[in-house]
Amino acid sequence: MEKKYLNGNLARNITFGLCWFFGWLPAVIVWFVDKDVLDLEDKRELASMIIAAILSYVCAATIIGGILSLAIGVCCIIACIQAFMGKTFQIPGVYHIAAAIIK
């Protein structure tokens, strides 16, 4: 059975693909709207989206961190494509932080 989010209107791959594409704000909206439906891995993936955005913004403020911000952006694009295909991509470091926070 396929998981549906946003009041049963969107399939998981579409929901998470759009969240990766548009950034942290849709991730927060999905988290609050579907907080009772989300399982542990879904919460970790949504947290990864938020953490990746925060790290990208913070790193972009520094000269050397701009390269790291670009790398996070490329990983987010890969995660977006994987999400639309129904797979998950765990950004190294970012997913580990999310897993440490969401238990």
Side-chain angles (χ1 to χ4, degrees):
M1 186 170 130
E2 187 176 281
K3 292 183 182 180
K4 298 276 187 172
Y5 294 101
L6 295 174
N7 296 324
N9 294 323
L10 290 176
R12 184 191 187 284
N13 63 332
I14 302 297
T15 303
F16 280 78
L18 290 173
C19 285
W20 275 113
F21 184 76
F22 288 112
W24 64 271
L25 187 58
V28 171
I29 292 170
V30 169
W31 195 313
F32 282 121
V33 170
D34 293 324
K35 61 185 168 197
D36 298 331
V37 180
L38 296 170
D39 63 1
L40 182 64
E41 286 302 313
D42 292 342
K43 288 179 184 178
R44 286 180 177 172
E45 189 167 354
L46 290 172
S48 294
M49 294 174 202
I50 297 166
I51 292 167
I54 292 170
L55 284 176
S56 181
Y57 294 148
V58 170
C59 290
T62 65
I63 295 172
I64 298 172
I67 297 168
L68 183 60
S69 179
L70 181 65
I72 292 171
V74 169
C75 287
C76 287
I77 291 171
I78 293 169
C80 176
I81 293 168
Q82 292 287 323
F84 277 122
M85 293 186 336
K87 302 174 184 175
T88 59
F89 177 75
Q90 299 172 352
I91 299 174
V94 173
Y95 183 81
H96 294 91
I97 295 170
I101 294 171
I102 308 295
K103 294 183 180 182

